[in-house]
Amino acid sequence: MSLLTNVMDHSLDEGYAEAAARRAEGGTGLPGRLRAKLGLAAGLLLAAVVVTLGAAQARISAPTLAKEREQLINRIESETSAADSLQKNVDALRETVGDRQREALEEHGGDKAELVSLLAGATPVRGQGLKVVVDDAKQAKTGGGGPRESSGFSDTGRVRDRDMQRIVNGLWQAGAEAVAINDQRLTSLSAIRAAGDAILVDNKPLVPPYTVLAIGDGKRMSTAFQDSVDGQYLHVLQQNYGVRANISVEEDVRLPAAPSLIVRTARPQDGGAAGRTADTGKGTS
């Protein structure tokens, strides 16, 4: 009986019942599942159209981009070649200027030409000496404040231009006959300055660590420098600010010639005497 009752109560399939209900309501829409499938298909079709258009656009613009990239590469290579050519001209002019300077020193310096050339920094030099390597503290960072901020720099553990000034002046005072920082030869006309956090020697930026080479009696110069006020200043930088420094006596030190010696105000004395600069004393400001 229960089976007969179930058949009588559910004589129509669910799909037929749903269709009959829509017809009774006067609707002609599609089933929900079919609508969902059609919507998914339409979305996939739209995505395919977008991807196809994007690929076509990329294919069309690819030659233009490739051409622009090639032009940029050619421009970079051309500018690099021009810069190399200019650098060669600069090097050649420096050699010519150096030769003329040496000739002038020999003409006006007489038997003291070599000594004058050495003191003026116009010729490369070699001999025993001292090596001082100075570097920023390991934890150096920007910001902060402290006792060293009085001249506009913060207490950061970074080596400053005035620190290098004192070190170089201390080496001159200790008996150095020639000094260079990172292969930049110093003369009586040299200047150590700062541009932001960068240290400049004769307007050329240096990168730490800063290697200071000084020619002279290495052992005597080392003792004199470390006992001087400037040597004690370097020791304070190590102890209080973490600045790293190492001093060693070297048996063979080689220094290049100064790149240029331009005297703007001094003139040779009458009678062919050797030219003198306005400031002939050692020291770097």
Side-chain angles (χ1 to χ4, degrees):
M1 292 296 294
S2 61
L3 177 61
L4 293 174
T5 303
N6 185 43
V7 170
M8 294 297 294
D9 292 339
H10 303 284
S11 60
L12 292 177
D13 184 79
E14 293 181 359
Y16 291 110
E18 183 179 352
R22 285 200 305 272
R23 282 196 296 271
E25 295 175 358
T28 59
L30 296 175
R33 291 182 179 178
L34 183 58
R35 287 199 304 270
K37 291 180 179 180
L38 290 176
L40 178 60
L44 293 176
L45 179 60
L46 179 60
V49 171
V50 172
V51 172
T52 302
L53 291 176
Q57 182 66 28
R59 186 166 54 252
I60 294 173
S61 61
T64 302
L65 294 176
K67 184 178 180 180
E68 292 178 354
R69 181 175 181 273
E70 184 178 359
Q71 291 176 348
L72 181 59
I73 292 175
N74 292 336
R75 182 178 177 184
I76 292 174
E77 292 177 349
S78 176
E79 295 296 335
T80 301
S81 177
D84 293 340
S85 177
L86 290 175
Q87 185 61 48
K88 290 181 180 179
N89 292 337
V90 170
D91 294 338
L93 290 174
R94 283 179 176 174
E95 291 181 2
T96 301
V97 171
D99 293 340
R100 297 290 178 85
Q101 288 175 343
R102 282 187 286 273
E103 291 176 1
L105 289 171
E106 291 177 358
E107 179 181 353
H108 297 287
D111 57 351
K112 297 182 179 180
E114 292 185 1
L115 177 59
V116 174
S117 298
L118 186 150
L119 296 177
T123 183
V125 291
R126 177 181 180 182
Q128 64 173 329
L130 196 66
K131 180 179 180 181
V132 182
V133 181
V134 185
D135 199 358
D136 297 334
K138 291 183 178 180
Q139 303 300 325
K141 58 184 179 180
T142 58
R148 302 174 70 207
E149 197 173 12
S150 57
S151 296
F153 292 109
S154 58
D155 174 17
T156 62
R158 294 179 64 94
V159 179
R160 304 301 183 185
D161 58 331
R162 63 176 178 273
D163 302 332
M164 298 307 302
Q165 291 172 8
R166 296 200 60 167
I167 293 170
V168 169
N169 286 334
L171 290 172
W172 284 124
Q173 187 176 6
E177 299 174 2
V179 179
I181 304 178
N182 288 13
D183 292 330
Q184 292 293 322
R185 180 76 173 274
L186 302 180
T187 69
S188 59
L189 300 179
S190 296
I192 300 177
R193 292 287 185 265
D197 286 335
I199 295 179
L200 309 180
V201 173
D202 292 335
N203 294 324
K204 294 184 178 180
L206 303 183
V207 178
Y210 307 103
T211 301
V212 185
L213 296 176
I215 289 183
D217 188 332
K219 294 181 179 179
R220 181 181 300 175
M221 191 162 40
S222 176
T223 301
F225 173 72
Q226 296 186 62
D227 290 342
S228 67
V229 175
D230 297 315
Q232 293 300 316
Y233 176 82
L234 178 59
H235 182 70
V236 170
L237 295 182
Q238 293 178 268
Q239 295 297 318
N240 294 352
Y241 303 101
V243 171
R244 291 170 288 176
N246 180 59
I247 301 175
S248 60
V249 176
E250 303 290 329
E251 292 299 325
D252 187 15
V253 176
R254 302 185 182 189
L255 305 184
S260 63
L261 296 173
I262 302 175
V263 181
R264 297 179 176 83
T265 56
R267 295 290 182 272
Q269 291 183 350
D270 295 337
R276 300 175 184 172
T277 61
D279 180 11
T280 58
K282 299 299 182 187
T284 304
S285 60

